[in-house]
Amino acid sequence: MTYCICLIQENQIPDSSLGKLEVGIREIVSKNQLNNLSDLKWIVIPEGQGWTAAKPSTSSVVTLYTPSIEQSVRVDVLNSICDLWTKTTSCHINEIIASVVPVN
Amino acid sequence: MPLYLCSSPSGSIPQNLKQKISQAITDVHCNVTGAPSTFVHVFFFEEDKLQVLQNLWGGVSSGAQYQLFGNIRSGRTEETKSTLVNGMCQAVADVLDVELDNVAMATKDIEAKWVMEGGDLLPEPGEEAAWLERHYKKMEALSNQ
């Protein structure tokens, strides 16, 4: 089973981009043969609730849970998520934290 | 990474204290681990969001009013983790001016090689300085393009 949780800061990503990001994540999952993406949850951190280095956070945290995969595949997936985020949202590369975690 | 999630009853933490709590958590993390503050993320949630966060929230087996959960890089010793937990619970209790037993905390280890931040896989604990040097050079090169 593969699923994804995306924590994003309120007002950081336009609603119009969320659909593109979801399509992009589904494509990354499919391209890397990580099974079907069964669920993708968006969790919006309200303004004033997210902090990075004790300053208001502009970071997105994307966690993709996948079956066990080779590290080389994981790195490809992580790079793809970071590329997707920076190209779709115009965020800085430092504003996307991606993780690919094996499902227990 | 680390990502610290803070859960509390709705409306129980005044907004002006959230920055202080995030600073306290960041300070404890950096002082104990030597990691740079730019790695430290602190997100606040009210308790009704915990169900949604079930997969990120490893759970704190406590009925404490204020709960912290840290996704931290693996490789820390049990002693270090204990120092983190005790230090953060005390720091949060101090900011909120509540008894220590109102604050509980748990941590979950995440492999550094599972996480990418700033476009690079995270360093193993203790290798942050070299990682940051490489990262800053990369950022500088990117900004000069």
Side-chain angles (χ1 to χ4, degrees):
Chain A
M1 188 167 69
T2 298
Y3 56 98
C4 187
I5 298 176
C6 303
L7 300 178
I8 58 172
Q9 308 298 324
E10 186 177 34
N11 299 325
Q12 197 69 32
I13 299 177
D15 287 349
S16 58
S17 296
L18 296 183
K20 292 177 191 166
L21 292 171
E22 178 159 353
V23 168
I25 289 172
R26 289 186 183 281
E27 285 175 356
I28 291 166
V29 167
S30 172
K31 182 183 162 198
N32 289 279
Q33 301 178 328
L34 304 177
N35 296 340
N36 289 326
L37 187 68
S38 62
D39 195 16
L40 189 154
K41 279 193 172 64
W42 295 100
I43 300 175
V44 178
I45 313 295
E47 205 166 324
Q49 311 304 306
W51 303 84
T52 295
K55 298 189 171 87
S57 182
T58 54
S59 297
S60 297
V61 180
V62 176
T63 307
L64 186 64
Y65 293 87
T66 70
S68 183
I69 55 175
E70 295 287 331
Q71 178 64 9
S72 59
V73 176
R74 175 179 285 107
V75 171
D76 287 345
V77 171
L78 289 167
N79 278 314
S80 298
I81 293 172
C82 291
D83 284 348
L84 171 68
W85 235 256
T86 53
K87 285 175 182 161
T88 306
T89 71
S90 300
C91 72
H92 191 276
I93 188 67
N94 287 341
E95 294 176 304
I96 170 68
I97 298 102
S99 54
V100 175
V101 176
V103 176
N104 292 327
Chain B
M1 193 70 70
L3 171 61
Y4 289 104
L5 304 175
C6 307
S7 162
S8 61
S10 179
S12 64
I13 303 180
Q15 186 57 37
N16 66 317
L17 294 186
K18 289 182 177 170
Q19 192 281 331
K20 289 184 179 175
I21 291 172
S22 73
Q23 184 72 65
I25 289 173
T26 301
D27 288 346
V28 171
H29 184 89
C30 295
N31 290 338
V32 172
T33 67
S37 62
T38 49
F39 283 169
V40 185
H41 307 276
V42 180
F43 295 169
F44 291 86
F45 293 93
E46 296 188 337
E47 57 190 356
D48 55 353
K49 284 277 175 65
L50 289 186
Q51 188 66 28
V52 181
L53 288 169
Q54 200 170 20
N55 293 303
L56 286 174
W57 181 269
V60 181
S61 56
S62 163
Q65 193 175 11
Y66 304 100
Q67 301 195 353
L68 305 174
F69 187 77
N71 285 284
I72 62 175
R73 282 175 291 160
S74 57
R76 311 277 187 210
T77 64
E78 290 304 316
E79 184 183 2
T80 298
K81 284 190 267 192
S82 177
T83 306
L84 276 176
V85 167
N86 293 334
M88 287 187 190
C89 285
Q90 187 64 61
V92 171
D94 288 347
V95 172
L96 292 171
D97 195 22
V98 297
E99 295 293 327
L100 184 57
D101 59 7
N102 286 310
V103 185
M105 181 171 180
T107 61
K108 182 164 98 178
D109 289 351
I110 303 286
E111 296 279 345
K113 67 182 181 183
W114 295 350
V115 184
M116 186 168 278
E117 191 158 350
D120 292 313
L121 291 179
L122 283 184
E124 296 297 330
E127 296 176 2
E128 291 89 351
W131 186 94
L132 277 174
E133 191 178 339
R134 285 196 308 273
H135 182 68
Y136 288 145
K137 280 182 183 165
K138 183 176 156 185
M139 291 299 112
E140 197 177 328
L142 279 174
S143 66
N144 290 334
Q145 281 180 0

